[in-house]
Amino acid sequence: MEQPGHTGHRERQPGRTDHRERPAHTPLLGTGIGWRPEIADGIARLPGIDWVEVVAENICPGHLPPALEALRARGTTVVPHGVSLGLGGAERPDAGRLAALAERAEALAAPLVTEHIAFVRAGGALTGGPRMEAGHLLPVPRTYDALDVLCENVRIAQDALPVPLALENIAALVNWPGEELTEGQFLAELVERTGVRLLIDVANLHTNRVNRGEDPAAALAALPVEAISYVHVAGGFERDGVWHDSHAHPVTQPVLEVLAELCARVGPPGVLLERDENFPATEELAAELDAIRTVVETTALRPGLGSGARPVPRPDDRSINLGNAPDDTAAKETEAARPRLAAAQEELLAALVAGEPDPAGFDGERLAVQRRALAGKRADVIASVAPELPGILGADYRSAFLDYAQHRPMRGGYRRDALDFAGHLLALGLPAHPAARRELTQWWRERSGPTPPSAGAAARLARLARTVTGRLLPRTGHTADGSPDRPRGGGPAPDGTADGRSAPPSVPAGASRVEYVDRPRSGR
């Protein structure tokens, strides 16, 4: 595989200054917590909460949860945090997703919006392959190709958003081969070229120290720390030499030490505690917030002042123009980089979620860890947003889903994935227990679209099989989104099993009916 950015040695691409005026100062946010419905009542009682962050895709403007509205009425700032733009992907950001994020920023009267430096999908028009969704934030290669594309995507997003944008560094399990920049250099270049703000996750810096051998202090030393809008702090755990950024465990001392390292360099305008699962008692959250406040109060410089860091370039500072090539040349090189980056990201994602071979140069053991983590997360999310499925399948739900997920990447959101999983089982004549199969059939029919499938058994199974394999338009050779029909695995084999693998055992019936929603999950 030709690595993105490896077309032979080349000089750094010309930077372009931010063409949009930024506010005279970064908003001072204070101490906050990630707002989740499961802990909404506790957050309302927590002392000293200045602001909250909400997952942008989980709220609907005009229909905000009453508990969130109550916080806003009290004067609590709310910042939307997006997880689905995929600004680090090879394609331009989707206009619909950008419009939705802008709408949420305006509905919340937010001082800024945030997203991630990550890619979340691959395939499609740039590669000619079927689109695949990762269901997770995956790392961008730190190459000049990837940087050129990211910077252009950021500019597109900045033009579409009504408030400033800040981007978060992510945690990663794997290293891209042949990287050309360190994390600190990559982020500094991004800020210089676009004027974008930064959301620094100190837990992710610690994660990358354990998993990738990267020094958090070195990353912070390379950053223009005055570009930081706020900081994330979260918990995790280590197992078999791998740090899992779970957001479901208490904040550890090493993460607080990275926070102290950051605060010794700059007073962050805001610090936020993230917790997404396994929610503790409100008193435990209060104790974690107190520990975070103690670190900030005892080590931080005055907000907005840095120690030995480069200033963030102003829009009229032309000194950041790295070279003399005209903008149209830089734009052409960025467009040439997109298909190279697309091919590399598609190859990696196909290995992680579609059963394809590992790309050359990657650590196979780490890819295996990432592959298991993605499949496990996917099974957990489907069980959360479609709880009827584990109810119908019983104890065999997880093994059946993991078997399904080995060679069948997610093509859309979790709602579509749940339907595809159910269709896959039904096309194989599963579950074996007749009552369970009837219940699963009814569940699928109620949610599969505006018109149910034909009542004829043969037509129904054919429709299910096409849904499972993605061949929604089999006679044209294209999938529903217009891309060539080139699925990576999937679909029943001639013998009726899924690619020849053994079918899951029979399961008992029984499931309670609850509202089915497609709820994007928060990022890391």
Side-chain angles (χ1 to χ4, degrees):
M1 175 183 66
E2 181 183 25
Q3 294 301 320
H6 284 259
T7 55
H9 178 74
R10 62 185 177 92
E11 297 299 320
R12 296 191 298 179
Q13 292 304 299
R16 285 187 290 176
T17 51
D18 182 12
H19 60 286
R20 295 162 52 91
E21 286 290 339
R22 282 177 284 144
H25 64 277
T26 298
L28 298 181
L29 295 169
T31 303
I33 189 169
W35 189 90
R36 304 292 184 264
E38 295 89 341
I39 53 174
D41 292 342
I43 290 174
R45 298 194 304 271
L46 283 170
I49 295 298
D50 303 305
W51 64 293
V52 298
E53 179 192 79
V54 296
V55 178
E57 291 83 352
N58 286 358
I59 61 171
C60 181
H63 302 279
L64 297 178
L68 191 59
E69 286 282 30
L71 286 177
R72 295 185 67 227
R74 284 165 39 180
T76 304
T77 298
V78 181
V79 174
H81 184 55
V83 299
S84 65
L85 277 184
L87 291 174
E91 293 185 335
R92 290 176 178 79
D94 179 77
R97 289 188 173 93
L98 282 172
L101 186 56
E103 183 184 15
R104 282 150 180 78
E106 292 178 329
L108 295 168
L112 76 164
V113 298
T114 58
E115 247 287 354
H116 299 82
I117 301 169
F119 81 99
V120 298
R121 59 188 63 89
L126 284 173
T127 65
R131 187 173 299 280
M132 299 174 287
E133 295 283 340
H136 191 71
L137 302 165
L138 294 176
V140 174
R142 296 173 194 153
T143 63
Y144 286 108
D145 265 6
L147 181 63
D148 292 345
V149 172
L150 173 63
C151 288
E152 184 59 26
N153 287 350
V154 167
R155 295 185 191 103
I156 294 170
Q158 288 171 323
D159 284 341
L161 296 170
V163 294
L165 171 67
L167 294 181
E168 179 181 351
N169 60 302
I170 71 163
L173 280 171
V174 298
N175 290 316
W176 282 85
E179 291 190 315
E180 300 167 315
L181 298 155
T182 66
E183 178 159 45
Q185 292 169 339
F186 192 87
L187 295 177
E189 287 269 348
L190 173 65
V191 171
E192 286 186 349
R193 294 192 191 188
T194 66
V196 74
R197 308 299 294 181
L198 295 176
L199 191 181
I200 295 300
D201 190 314
V202 293
N204 290 348
L205 290 177
H206 172 65
T207 301
N208 291 343
R209 169 168 55 192
V210 177
N211 295 347
R212 305 177 72 172
E214 298 173 351
D215 182 8
L220 292 171
L223 292 181
V225 291
E226 287 80 2
I228 295 174
S229 286
Y230 63 90
V231 175
H232 273 174
V233 183
F237 65 96
E238 187 170 354
R239 178 187 295 157
D240 298 329
V242 174
W243 185 266
H244 297 270
D245 181 41
S246 66
H247 290 204
H249 295 78
V251 176
T252 62
Q253 186 60 34
V255 171
L256 291 177
E257 290 170 359
V258 179
L259 175 62
E261 176 74 28
L262 182 149
C263 290
R265 298 174 182 276
V266 68
V271 182
L272 181 127
L273 172 65
E274 286 190 293
R275 190 67 176 249
D276 292 335
E277 300 174 69
N278 191 26
F279 298 104
T282 302
E283 293 75 18
E284 293 181 44
L285 291 174
E288 288 197 282
L289 287 164
D290 286 342
I292 291 169
R293 288 191 188 96
T294 297
V295 171
V296 174
E297 291 168 0
T298 57
T299 61
L301 299 174
R302 182 160 60 89
L305 294 181
S307 174
R310 295 175 295 172
V312 179
R314 296 297 301 168
D316 58 355
D317 181 1
R318 309 306 299 181
S319 65
I320 68 170
N321 203 340
L322 309 175
N324 299 312
D327 280 350
D328 59 345
T329 299
K332 290 178 181 177
E333 292 188 354
T334 298
E335 290 311 300
R338 287 187 186 275
R340 293 194 294 268
L341 181 63
Q345 291 179 339
E346 180 187 52
E347 189 173 8
L348 174 59
L349 187 55
L352 292 175
V353 302
E356 294 292 314
D358 293 347
F362 283 89
D363 184 324
E365 291 184 3
R366 284 299 174 89
L367 287 180
V369 173
Q370 182 73 84
R371 189 178 295 116
R372 290 192 298 269
L374 290 177
K377 176 183 177 181
R378 192 172 157 194
D380 291 342
V381 174
I382 294 300
S384 175
V385 301
E388 304 92 340
L389 294 179
I392 294 170
L393 299 175
D396 294 310
Y397 161 76
R398 192 170 186 84
S399 61
F401 188 88
L402 294 178
D403 183 69
Y404 154 81
Q406 284 185 48
H407 297 272
R408 294 170 182 81
M410 189 161 55
R411 304 296 187 187
Y414 289 111
R415 181 180 187 274
R416 179 73 259 167
D417 201 27
L419 288 169
D420 287 350
F421 171 53
H424 161 73
L425 293 180
L426 292 172
L428 300 179
L430 299 171
H433 194 287
R437 190 163 61 253
R438 284 195 299 270
E439 189 168 10
L440 185 61
T441 300
Q442 182 64 24
W443 183 92
W444 185 89
R445 287 170 63 92
E446 289 173 354
R447 294 159 178 82
S448 60
T451 58
S454 167
R460 180 166 64 250
L461 288 175
R463 178 185 172 95
L464 287 170
R466 289 196 301 272
T467 301
V468 171
T469 61
R471 298 185 179 91
L472 296 180
L473 298 174
R475 291 187 177 86
T476 65
H478 290 72
T479 59
D481 65 358
S483 60
D485 181 19
R486 187 167 59 85
R488 298 180 180 274
D495 62 358
T497 62
D499 298 330
R501 295 189 302 278
S502 60
S506 60
V507 295
S512 59
R513 297 294 183 192
V514 298
E515 184 66 20
Y516 177 69
V517 295
D518 184 24
R519 180 162 56 92
R521 310 305 289 179
S522 61
R524 294 291 189 260

